[in-house]
Amino acid sequence: MSLTPKASGDEAEQLFSKTRTQSMSLNRIISERDAVSEAREAKTARLRELRLEKEADDRAAALVLAAMPKRAGKR
């Protein structure tokens, strides 16, 4: 069975179309993965900032308590 030039061109077009579709799908998957990764990094940074603020507040509160004079208990 021999292919005519027209048949070969159609087959080549189909293969190219399939390759292009696969490439577009791969690019979409990569973009989605990158978006998820960026969102995770942003959330991690926000949570780290909140944790550091809370730790600083806790240290400041501990210093205030330590500086307060101690009361003698009732007897």
Side-chain angles (χ1 to χ4, degrees), residues 11-63:
E11 184 178 339
E13 181 63 34
Q14 289 174 351
L15 289 173
F16 176 74
S17 179
K18 181 178 178 183
T19 301
R20 184 177 56 211
T21 301
Q22 289 173 341
S23 177
M24 290 170 51
S25 294
L26 180 61
N27 287 341
R28 182 183 51 79
I29 290 168
I30 291 171
S31 293
E32 289 175 3
R33 182 196 64 193
D34 290 347
V36 168
S37 180
E38 287 176 18
R40 180 178 44 245
E41 289 172 9
K43 182 177 180 181
T44 299
R46 182 178 59 83
L47 291 173
R48 180 181 298 118
E49 185 66 29
L50 290 171
R51 178 180 51 82
L52 292 174
E53 286 178 21
K54 182 183 181 309
E55 289 174 356
D57 290 345
D58 291 347
R59 281 192 299 273
L63 288 174

